[in-house]
Amino acid sequence: MTNAFTPRQLPLDLGHEPGYSRDDLIVSASNMAAVDIVDRWPGWISPVVVLAGPTGSGKTHLAAVWKAEAGAIVIDARNIAAVSGEKGPFLIDDIGGGPIDEPGLFHLINTVRQSGSSLLMTSRKWPANWPVTLPDLASRLKAATTVEIGEPDDMLLSGVLYKLFADRQVAVDPNVISFLVSHIERSLSTANRIVERLDRAALEKKSKITRALAASVVTAVDEGQAAFDL
């Protein structure tokens, strides 16, 4: 009896990671103000800067660019006091969504202001919406420079998609990019996931990445399928 089932050829996972250098950064209206303030360091008006924006808006990329430029020390928002005695600059990524070491943050901000150092924080919320109960800390946060990052606009999302495909040495037609920009969640993390799935699907099928293939992958991702038939 012949087995009619033909196993799919699974491509090797070559571990393509998105680049987080300044050269990898794509600038558009949605992130221009945030890119500008990162580029202007160390000439900040306020020593404390907050980049606030939704998930997938590029905050982590900007934080990585600044960390590399400033040689910043990365701090856990739950244990800020652990860096007591350090001179900085300091980076706290993704603060405000959970517990905060409030006394530690208050003293860190005071240290940064007195020493002429810098503190960059990224968050999905504006500081006024962080779970802060210390009045003195709330006052310090009001004095920080907060820059909003919007959801990726068409220009940024299409630029990121082109770059993600180029990083994998994959050429795609503009109509595929236009389809993806119109149909995927407006998030840079989603763009990376879609490109990875599309690349794997095309390798399995040994075909180009077409609009039809893109539609299949987007539908599968929207429906939360870990795997899908193509």
Side-chain angles (χ1 to χ4, degrees), residues 56-67:
S57 58
K59 300 184 299 297
T60 296
H61 189 162
L62 283 164
V65 170
W66 184 78
K67 175 181 177 292

Side-chain angles (χ1 to χ4, degrees), residues 40-49 66-67 69-75 83 85-92 107-121 144-145:
R40 278 196 281 124
W41 183 87
W44 289 352
I45 296 174
S46 166
V48 180
V49 169
W66 184 78
K67 175 181 177 292
E69 178 65 24
I73 299 168
V74 180
I75 306 174
V83 298
E86 297 285 353
K87 295 181 179 180
F90 303 99
L91 168 65
I92 305 177
H107 290 300
L108 179 66
I109 291 175
N110 285 344
T111 297
V112 164
R113 292 171 65 174
Q114 292 164 8
S115 67
S117 188
S118 305
L119 168 62
L120 176 67
M121 297 180 278
T145 298

Side-chain angles (χ1 to χ4, degrees), residues 20-159:
Y20 280 142
S21 74
R22 178 62 180 84
D23 290 341
D24 292 315
L25 196 60
I26 297 171
V27 184
S28 76
S30 63
N31 67 354
M32 188 176 297
V35 173
D36 179 63
I37 200 160
V38 165
D39 283 346
R40 278 196 281 124
W41 183 87
W44 289 352
I45 296 174
S46 166
V48 180
V49 169
V50 179
L51 302 182
T55 301
S57 58
K59 300 184 299 297
T60 296
H61 189 162
L62 283 164
V65 170
W66 184 78
K67 175 181 177 292
E69 178 65 24
I73 299 168
V74 180
I75 306 174
D76 185 336
R78 298 165 297 181
N79 190 22
I80 296 171
V83 298
S84 177
E86 297 285 353
K87 295 181 179 180
F90 303 99
L91 168 65
I92 305 177
D93 193 22
D94 198 22
I95 190 173
I100 297 172
D101 175 5
E102 294 187 46
L105 182 55
F106 175 73
H107 290 300
L108 179 66
I109 291 175
N110 285 344
T111 297
V112 164
R113 292 171 65 174
Q114 292 164 8
S115 67
S117 188
S118 305
L119 168 62
L120 176 67
M121 297 180 278
T122 71
S123 180
R124 286 166 283 177
K125 302 176 181 179
W126 282 66
N129 296 320
W130 295 357
V132 168
T133 58
L134 286 179
D136 287 344
L137 175 57
S139 176
R140 292 288 189 275
L141 291 172
K142 286 179 182 177
T145 298
T146 300
V147 180
E148 183 176 13
I149 307 176
E151 290 185 339
D153 54 24
D154 287 0
M155 177 182 172
L156 178 58
L157 197 54
S158 61

Side-chain angles (χ1 to χ4, degrees), residues 175-187:
N175 70 323
V176 173
I177 298 295
S178 297
F179 173 83
L180 292 175
V181 168
S182 300
H183 289 82
I184 69 171
E185 176 187 303
R186 306 195 77 75
S187 154

